[in-house]
Amino acid sequence: MPFPGEERWVHRTFDVGDVRLHAVETGEGPLVVLLHGFPDFWYGWRWQLNALAAAGFRVVAPDMRGYNLSEKPAGIWAYRLDRLAADVAGLVKACGVDRARLVGHDWGGVVAWHTALRHAGLVDRLAVLNAPTPASLRPGTLPLGQLLRSWHVYAFQLPGLPEAALSFNDFALLRMALAGDVKRRDAFTRADLDRYAAAFAEPGALSAALDYYRALPWFAAADMALAAKRIERPVMVVWGEQDPHLAPVMGDLDPTRVPRGRVERIAEAGHWVQLDARERVNELLIDFMQKPVG
């Protein structure tokens, strides 16, 4: 079943370097790139695509490498953060512009942070939704409460078992996890969940998505060394306070490293803040994206 307004979305493929990314595009104007997390794909931005386009932006929501219809290179080395950030930089260049506004949720937020750190000249401004800041991920800084919330990160390190569990019985566990993670009862319809199951049924997609987590221990030290760098561009963090996976402190900003940052907390929303509080999130994003940057 099509999503309302989906007829205005154009499906495209972008060559971003060593992979080709499938993406959905709509609207005209300054470029906004929407980066999804796990377990998600471009469709996680369904409530933001038309709203941002109507506000005067060209909006591109890719399937990140390994997900849905994008290419799926083999091996965890292909999913380290520097490669993921390079994909975003390549996507911006493939869109024919010098700079873009980035929005990221969950893993997409982590990648957006690292794109701003590694490719600062390409980022006009950055909005992050329920994703940990680089500083909060530095080795030895995670509070005990967050370590307990992050049990799935360790479970996903196991070979084969997560794939078998999540895909069993037409992705029943994945469907339950999605429906149980939201506070708004209509956030995921049955038709939505069918689309998610189809996306993760693409050959290799589930293992590739899990390889994001499996790559973390191997490259964490090098990636987290970037956390000491400053981000000079404007930053907005939008945080659903009822997130079961991320403690509220994970969204705090260090003003010495993010001098032009602000945090907007939404008490009634959970991890999928862009679905739970879609109207408020759209208002915040549009206001943030439209304000002139000095």
Side-chain angles (χ1 to χ4, degrees):
M1 179 182 298
F3 186 80
E6 191 167 349
E7 68 278 0
R8 297 194 292 273
W9 304 344
V10 177
H11 290 258
R12 297 187 57 187
T13 300
F14 292 92
D15 186 339
V16 303
D18 63 344
V19 296
R20 293 173 64 83
L21 301 183
H22 166 263
V24 167
E25 180 176 346
T26 187
E28 296 180 355
L31 179 64
V32 176
V33 176
L34 305 176
L35 303 173
H36 66 80
F38 175 90
D40 205 354
F41 64 116
W42 69 263
Y43 191 66
W45 297 109
R46 55 194 175 276
W47 291 103
Q48 284 68 52
L49 282 159
N50 288 335
L52 287 165
F57 295 100
R58 176 189 179 189
V59 190
V60 175
D63 290 325
M64 293 174 68
R65 69 163 57 196
Y67 281 86
N68 191 32
L69 301 179
S70 288
E71 287 190 340
K72 302 167 182 63
I76 64 171
W77 63 270
Y79 298 94
R80 62 189 191 266
L81 278 170
D82 64 324
R83 289 306 319 141
L84 303 174
D87 286 350
V88 180
L91 177 61
V92 172
K93 293 176 181 177
C95 287
V97 298
D98 296 325
R99 183 174 287 182
R101 295 152 166 84
L102 297 188
V103 184
H105 171 247
D106 186 76
W107 257 107
V110 175
V111 174
W113 277 117
H114 281 266
T115 305
L117 289 165
R118 293 179 182 274
H119 307 277
L122 290 173
V123 179
D124 179 87
R125 67 199 76 184
L126 172 65
V128 175
L129 284 58
N130 280 72
T133 64
S136 70
L137 286 176
R138 281 178 296 168
T141 63
L142 288 180
L144 177 60
Q146 181 56 52
L147 288 171
L148 295 174
R149 291 175 186 240
S150 301
W151 64 269
H152 61 287
V153 176
Y154 307 101
F156 289 167
Q157 304 300 318
L158 297 172
L161 183 59
E163 285 92 334
L166 290 170
S167 61
F168 178 72
N169 193 22
D170 192 24
F171 296 89
L173 185 58
L174 183 67
R175 292 170 185 263
M176 289 174 57
L178 288 167
D181 253 0
V182 291
K183 301 302 177 183
R184 186 166 178 157
R185 294 187 63 182
D186 65 348
F188 290 109
T189 66
R190 180 172 295 182
D192 292 334
L193 294 176
D194 286 343
R195 293 182 77 150
Y196 276 85
F200 280 96
E202 288 289 328
L206 185 53
S207 289
L210 292 167
D211 280 345
Y212 279 60
Y213 292 92
R214 291 165 178 160
L216 270 179
W218 295 96
F219 305 105
D223 290 324
M224 293 310 126
L226 284 174
K229 292 182 63 175
R230 284 168 60 97
I231 295 179
E232 302 292 348
R233 307 306 294 172
V235 174
M236 178 177 67
V237 171
V238 181
W239 201 267
E241 292 280 76
Q242 298 188 50
D243 191 329
H245 307 295
L246 294 170
V249 69
M250 301 296 283
D252 290 347
L253 292 178
D254 181 346
T256 65
R257 295 189 172 94
V258 190
R260 303 176 66 183
R262 77 181 211 250
V263 180
E264 299 284 347
R265 299 189 180 272
I266 303 179
E268 69 276 13
H271 182 69
W272 295 80
V273 62
Q274 77 272 33
L275 303 181
D276 282 336
R278 62 191 67 150
E279 296 89 353
R280 179 59 179 152
V281 168
N282 289 350
E283 291 173 358
L284 287 169
L285 288 177
I286 290 168
D287 177 70
F288 180 66
M289 296 300 167
Q290 288 180 335
K291 283 184 175 177
V293 174

